[in-house]
Amino acid sequence: MPTLPAVPQPPRLRAPGELLGRVRRDVERNALRARNGIRLAAGTHRPRLGQTPRDLVWSHGRCRLYRYRSDQVSLGPPLLIVFSLVSRSYVLDLQPGNSFIEHLQAAGFDVFLIDWAPADERHACEGLEDYADGYLPEAVRRTCEAAGSDSVNLFGYCYGGVLALLYAAHHPDAPLRSLTVMATPVDFSQWGLFSELARDGRLDVDALLDDVGNVPASTVRQSFRFLKPTGELRQYATLLDNVWNDEYVTAYQAMTTWSNDHVPFPGAAMRQTMEMLVRDNAFVCDRLRLGGDAVSLRDITVPTLTVLAERDHIVPEPTAAPLPELVGSQESDCLRLDAGHIGLVVGRTAARVTIPRIIDFLRRRSEAIA
């Protein structure tokens, strides 16, 4: 029996009120698109970033040790965050309501941060030893002194995690209660094109340096864009769809401000990074050397947490995943999260999923204080 053609249904008649509501909404959104588009083009009405009050505890060279003000501290020891060498730390305190620092404070932690001033000609010769054996030990000591504690929970983000690992491995008696590293590379053989270029000798570090001997911020920024060349196009496309939404535009401005705001990388540290960490894959192959000493991740024995993002294009999952098997800690956990590099600490998913699970680990390494 032949199939009868479907009978076309008449279009649903919309009530006058519904049509009027749609017209009013479209008119309002078009007005918002025009207003926000002008603001974006002019670069005005940018949100204020990094607003949580903090005090400078100590500084030396590039190192700045801050303590965030809080009257909610109920857990000890203090939490000391080591930030990356090439980015601005305010991504951890992006905006009120969208701040990793706020979440940590609300959980009761006494939060300290090691931040880095932009490198200039005075810092071009600073190698990894200056950070792992100089800045970090003194910052840990100053944190303990300021908080009246005999230990810290150490937390390293991105390349700050690399520095935290080097410090903990070279100073096995350091006063650490625990060590957490997030989005931190250790197996550089999995770092894609950069590891191939370094291994084949096609990446000339000296060609990257500026007149004072550092890798300029513009080169750092372009290298991150190179890892995800179509990222900006997708961001612009999504922005066009949401430019009427004030909340979205504010969040977009905050993130793009941070993602374009880098600092120079010290030349000597970059050379060691490319030659030892990347080309020799020293973390995995146990070839670390600092100041003439052999250093091994096996000497890290404090409880350790590795936090990695499954959609991270800067530190891909295979680059970060081996760490739990490399350290000597009896308790070495790994937290895999469905997020990107920045989505670990910024955004709604971070607030609902990532940050609570990190806080749960840190709580178990802390104790209530009077």
Side-chain angles (χ1 to χ4, degrees), residues 121-181:
E121 63 274 7
R122 296 169 296 175
H123 313 116
C125 294
E126 290 185 346
L128 296 178
E129 293 86 353
D130 292 283
Y131 294 89
D133 300 334
Y135 290 136
L136 264 64
E138 184 62 14
V140 169
R141 188 184 74 80
R142 299 276 183 159
T143 298
C144 289
E145 183 179 87
S149 175
D150 59 4
S151 63
V152 303
N153 283 316
L154 193 63
F155 187 109
Y157 177 69
C158 194
Y159 200 93
V162 170
L163 300 178
L165 289 172
L166 293 173
Y167 161 68
H170 203 196
H171 301 270
D173 296 328
L176 303 184
R177 180 76 63 87
S178 70
L179 173 62
T180 299
V181 294

Side-chain angles (χ1 to χ4, degrees), residues 71-298:
D71 56 4
Q72 305 178 67
V73 175
S74 59
L75 296 172
L79 176 64
L80 175 58
I81 300 173
V82 186
F83 199 70
S84 176
L85 285 182
V86 296
S87 301
R88 302 284 187 174
S89 65
Y90 60 77
V91 72
L92 301 180
D93 184 33
L94 201 61
Q95 293 176 274
N98 188 15
S99 166
F100 185 44
I101 299 297
E102 282 185 356
H103 285 285
L104 293 172
Q105 289 184 318
F109 294 105
D110 191 0
V111 184
F112 290 72
L113 170 74
I114 297 176
D115 201 3
W116 310 103
D120 56 30
E121 63 274 7
R122 296 169 296 175
H123 313 116
C125 294
E126 290 185 346
L128 296 178
E129 293 86 353
D130 292 283
Y131 294 89
D133 300 334
Y135 290 136
L136 264 64
E138 184 62 14
V140 169
R141 188 184 74 80
R142 299 276 183 159
T143 298
C144 289
E145 183 179 87
S149 175
D150 59 4
S151 63
V152 303
N153 283 316
L154 193 63
F155 187 109
Y157 177 69
C158 194
Y159 200 93
V162 170
L163 300 178
L165 289 172
L166 293 173
Y167 161 68
H170 203 196
H171 301 270
D173 296 328
L176 303 184
R177 180 76 63 87
S178 70
L179 173 62
T180 299
V181 294
M182 181 165 66
T184 296
V186 290
D187 186 356
F188 285 90
S189 69
Q190 303 296 318
W191 206 28
L193 181 59
F194 287 151
S195 60
E196 293 178 13
L197 293 174
R199 184 171 55 247
D200 298 340
R202 290 180 287 163
L203 186 58
D204 182 5
V205 173
D206 289 332
L208 302 177
L209 305 182
D210 59 18
D211 293 340
V212 302
N214 296 318
V215 180
S218 58
T219 300
V220 174
R221 182 169 59 251
Q222 290 302 325
S223 67
F224 285 129
R225 288 177 176 172
F226 183 72
L227 291 171
K228 197 173 184 180
T230 62
E232 287 190 1
L233 292 177
R234 285 197 292 268
Q235 287 178 351
Y236 288 142
T238 307
L239 174 64
L240 289 175
D241 289 339
N242 293 276
V243 73
W244 59 270
N245 186 324
D246 288 352
E247 182 181 352
Y248 182 90
V249 170
T250 298
Y252 172 86
Q253 287 180 302
M255 278 306 307
T256 53
T257 296
W258 177 81
S259 63
N260 289 305
D261 192 8
H262 295 281
V263 295
F265 198 107
M270 172 59 76
R271 186 171 286 104
Q272 285 176 289
T273 298
M274 297 308 299
E275 293 178 357
M276 181 173 67
L277 300 185
V278 180
R279 188 191 64 195
D280 295 343
N281 205 18
F283 277 128
V284 172
C285 298
D286 210 18
R287 297 176 181 172
L288 290 171
R289 297 194 70 84
L290 289 177
D293 297 333
V295 179
S296 175
L297 293 182
R298 291 193 302 272

Side-chain angles (χ1 to χ4, degrees), residues 12-25:
R12 184 173 71 89
L13 296 177
R14 299 182 184 274
E18 182 180 354
L19 289 172
L20 183 60
R22 289 189 61 185
V23 171
R24 183 181 294 113
R25 185 198 65 183

Side-chain angles (χ1 to χ4, degrees), residues 4-67:
L4 296 176
V7 178
Q9 299 296 317
R12 184 173 71 89
L13 296 177
R14 299 182 184 274
E18 182 180 354
L19 289 172
L20 183 60
R22 289 189 61 185
V23 171
R24 183 181 294 113
R25 185 198 65 183
D26 289 343
V27 169
E28 290 174 351
R29 287 190 175 183
N30 284 335
L32 290 170
R33 286 189 181 97
R35 185 199 67 185
N36 290 341
I38 292 171
R39 288 178 176 178
L40 284 167
T44 61
H45 293 80
R46 291 188 175 277
R48 292 179 58 204
L49 309 176
Q51 296 185 51
T52 303
R54 63 183 188 177
D55 300 303
L56 182 65
V57 175
W58 167 76
S59 67
H60 178 71
R62 291 192 68 200
C63 190
R64 304 286 185 270
L65 176 64
Y66 293 98
R67 186 183 195 177

